Amino acid sequence: MDKKELAIKYINRQSGAVELEKVPGNKMLRYLYHTSMGRLSLYALVKRKFFTSALGCLIDRRFSLKWVPGFIENHQLDTQEFLKDPKEFTSFNDFFYRKLKPGSRPVQDGLVSPADGKILAFEKMGHASKFFVKGNKFGIQDFLKDDILAEKYQGGSMIIIRLAPSDYHRFHFPASGQVGETHPIKGHYYSVSPMALKKSIKIFCQNKREYCILNSTDMGDILMCEVGATMVGSILQTYSPNSTVERGEEKGYFAFGGSTIVLLFEPGKVKIDADLLQNTEQGYETTVLMGEKIGSPVQ
């Protein structure tokens, strides 16, 4: 496959410009998902928990701090946003799931992005197949492993927020309301990079994931699902189940690696911002920041 075909292009929401993503492990992803030998390696090793766990152990060690300055410089991260001084981190992982200073991510009105990342938005779940490989459909029953729940969200809207390794990796509630308990679903650890997803959106139905229901005050029952991936050692929940939460309040964080949050909405409850739908229709993800408005309740 041509390198240009595999390049990850996205739209910068602030400027409207099409930009090219700098992908850690770019060559490895091409090898794993687009060559015969790579797919054999993927099945035998990379998707396995022990591979991800082993990498997680390495970046939890103090010696991994030596990679932090180069990572910050390479990805041009704003250290002024960090709650900790970069010298205070205890490992690369500690840096990776860093907290930000209060006010670094203003929380707007309406439906807001639960995380920093790049977003795909679908007015109806069935529209997702247009973005991915032809005939490669998103199966909500396979994704949720619950027929009753799948029926509830069938025909509703879907938003996918992809977090790259350089992104802020704490996730937050997209709306205010009453939140329930977390439900884990066992799975593998495939990459959620567009290089992998363009090949198979079914990765979402194969990876380890956790979901809960947020009974929002004005947008119905929002299903929020965190999806693990290669090198994501853990999905850690910091919220209190069966409690009232506010829009923008922290829900949890991902340990090292790229990862994804999927939001599902009941039919007729949410109006997604037009620019996000249009960009997705044209085949592009769009950059968003946590707390940034991405939709509104249907009046």
Side-chain angles (χ1 to χ4, degrees):
M1 188 171 285
D2 189 89
K3 287 186 179 181
K4 290 182 179 179
E5 229 180 304
L6 290 173
I8 302 174
K9 294 180 179 179
Y10 62 90
I11 292 180
N12 183 314
R13 198 179 195 191
Q14 302 305 314
S15 67
V18 176
E19 298 180 0
L20 189 64
E21 183 169 343
K22 187 181 291 184
V23 184
N26 199 351
K27 292 181 181 178
M28 178 60 74
L29 286 170
R30 287 192 182 112
Y31 170 72
L32 289 173
Y33 289 91
H34 297 278
T35 70
S36 298
M37 287 301 295
R39 284 190 288 271
L40 282 174
S41 301
L42 183 71
Y43 182 79
L45 175 65
V46 178
K47 74 169 187 176
R48 306 292 182 182
K49 183 177 180 179
F50 75 84
F51 179 81
T52 289
S53 298
L55 288 171
C57 286
L58 285 176
I59 59 171
D60 273 331
R61 301 292 177 86
R62 193 164 186 83
F63 73 78
S64 65
L65 283 169
K66 64 183 180 181
W67 299 319
V68 172
F71 193 93
I72 290 173
E73 183 179 359
N74 192 37
H75 295 282
Q76 300 180 326
L77 302 183
D78 183 2
T79 59
Q80 296 301 308
E81 292 183 335
F82 298 0
L83 187 60
K84 283 184 179 181
D85 184 282
K87 294 178 182 177
E88 296 178 325
F89 293 118
T90 58
S91 67
F92 189 90
N93 219 2
D94 185 39
F95 151 72
F96 181 79
Y97 50 70
R98 62 196 174 271
K99 289 189 174 186
L100 301 182
K101 292 177 182 176
S104 297
R105 296 291 183 273
V107 178
Q108 300 175 356
D109 294 330
L111 177 73
V112 302
S113 175
D116 287 8
K118 297 179 180 69
I119 196 169
L120 294 172
F122 305 97
E123 197 169 25
K124 292 187 182 297
M125 261 172 263
H127 296 171
S129 58
K130 294 180 182 178
F131 183 89
F132 300 98
V133 174
K134 187 176 180 180
N136 200 337
K137 295 182 179 179
F138 177 79
I140 189 169
Q141 286 88 354
D142 288 340
F143 182 65
L144 296 176
K145 302 295 183 185
D146 185 317
D147 290 343
I148 295 174
L149 207 54
E151 181 65 27
K152 180 175 182 174
Y153 291 95
Q154 193 71 48
S157 301
M158 177 169 70
I159 287 175
I160 301 169
I161 305 102
R162 177 178 64 86
L163 291 73
S166 57
D167 287 321
Y168 164 63
H169 261 68
R170 290 183 179 258
F171 46 87
H172 301 247
F173 290 103
S176 300
Q178 185 78 16
V179 65
E181 296 182 0
T182 295
H183 302 273
I185 299 176
K186 293 180 180 179
H188 297 300
Y189 294 85
Y190 292 110
S191 170
V192 292
S193 164
M195 287 185 192
L197 291 176
K198 283 271 189 180
K199 201 72 177 172
S200 178
I201 191 178
K202 292 179 181 178
I203 286 171
F204 285 142
C205 302
Q206 296 168 342
N207 275 16
K208 176 186 175 183
R209 52 203 182 276
E210 298 181 357
Y211 73 85
C212 72
I213 305 292
L214 173 62
N215 178 224
S216 72
T217 54
D218 53 2
M219 288 175 276
D221 288 347
I222 301 171
L223 188 143
M224 186 173 181
C225 183
E226 295 86 35
V227 183
T230 306
M231 296 186 295
V232 174
S234 301
I235 302 169
L236 296 125
Q237 305 291 345
T238 58
Y239 80 99
S240 298
N242 304 313
S243 65
T244 300
V245 296
E246 296 297 323
R247 178 189 295 108
E249 186 177 325
E250 184 181 299
K251 182 178 186 292
Y253 62 92
F254 293 105
F256 180 70
S259 35
T260 298
I261 296 168
V262 178
L263 301 178
L264 302 182
F265 305 90
E266 299 170 275
K269 297 291 185 181
V270 169
K271 182 180 180 183
I272 299 172
D273 285 356
D275 65 316
L276 302 177
L277 293 172
Q278 183 179 355
N279 292 346
T280 302
E281 183 72 22
Q282 293 175 349
Y284 293 106
E285 296 173 300
T286 306
T287 57
V288 289
L289 294 177
M290 193 289 290
E292 185 176 337
K293 180 180 173 293
I294 57 175
S296 55
V298 170
Q299 303 297 326

